[in-house]
Amino acid sequence: EAGVAQSPRYKIIEKRQSVAFWCNPISGHATLYWYQQILGQGPKLLIQFQNNGVVDDSQLPKDRFSAERLKGVDSTLKIQPAKLEDSAVYLCASSSVRHYGYTFGSGTRLTVV
Amino acid sequence: ILNVEQSPQSLHVQEGDSTNFTCSFPSSNFYALHWYRWETAKSPEALFVMTLNGDEKKKGRISATLNTKEGYSYLYIKGSQPEDSATYLCVRNQAGTALIFGKGTTLSVSS
């Protein structure tokens, strides 16, 4: 089966600019996650979707971050405006309710300068 | 323990050495414990998922054990090779919730 697709792979922007990341999960996976991994730290959950509904967005900085999963398939994560501390790898993952496994994309490495 | 704790944070070994890492996690409401291997610029790769106390899993030279009562898991690598160099993530989840990651152990194997 195809893996979780993410784009772009790398992005460099200036602070106060906007940026958007895209994720296409495994076909049929109902649950989609966005994680932020800052250098030296473990990945932190930003938002979890079940189909097109939000299950958990408690750690999403809602003043600047937004995410959507229209039609319960693809998802986009947006940052507007970006800050220096947003420099991180943004990982998308998906899972099926029928097994324990989670599949990750290769991530988008964001650098804010 | 509220979070998933991994130790050591980083480790440097010589080719052929055997090594092990520790993961500590909250033992309450346990559902599953995952180990992932993450190389730079690649997707995290699932190594093991363990659910039962006393579980032992093996994949080639890598093995893992699980103690859900005391809340720890060990990952062992026998005869480390340079291609084993990566960050090893310990991840816990409760039923129906997102994964909770440790900070990882970064292994460097030199030839």
Side-chain angles (χ1 to χ4, degrees), chain A residues 55-86:
Chain A
V55 174
D56 183 354
D57 64 355
S58 57
Q59 299 191 88
L60 186 73
K62 298 180 184 65
D63 58 333
R64 297 183 301 106
F65 285 64
S66 64
E68 60 182 9
R69 191 184 183 196
L70 298 176
K71 302 179 182 178
V73 182
D74 293 7
S75 177
T76 56
L77 176 70
K78 296 179 181 178
I79 308 175
Q80 180 180 11
K83 294 185 176 181
L84 296 176
E85 57 261 36
D86 298 331

Side-chain angles (χ1 to χ4, degrees), chain A residues 98-110:
Chain A
R98 287 186 292 277
H99 63 81
Y100 299 104
Y102 297 74
T103 305
F104 288 86
S106 54
T108 295
R109 182 174 295 276
L110 174 68

Side-chain angles (χ1 to χ4, degrees), chain B residues 18-95:
Chain B
S18 293
T19 186
N20 64 85
F21 320 137
T22 302
C23 172
S24 302
F25 54 86
S27 55
S28 61
N29 299 318
F30 177 84
Y31 186 66
L33 192 286
H34 310 249
W35 281 99
Y36 282 85
R37 179 175 179 275
W38 192 12
E39 290 183 73
T40 303
K42 295 185 178 179
S43 306
E45 172 197 356
L47 291 175
F48 306 113
V49 54
M50 296 180 287
T51 59
L52 299 176
N53 184 46
D55 258 355
E56 292 188 25
K57 296 285 179 79
K58 186 175 182 181
K59 186 177 183 179
R61 294 178 291 98
I62 305 176
S63 60
T65 62
L66 177 67
N67 183 320
T68 60
K69 293 184 178 181
E70 296 182 40
Y72 64 84
S73 175
Y74 295 133
L75 186 78
Y76 302 91
I77 302 178
K78 183 178 178 181
S80 302
Q81 300 296 310
E83 56 266 30
D84 296 330
S85 298
T87 295
Y88 292 83
L89 294 169
C90 175
V91 194
R92 172 186 182 267
N93 72 295
Q94 297 172 235

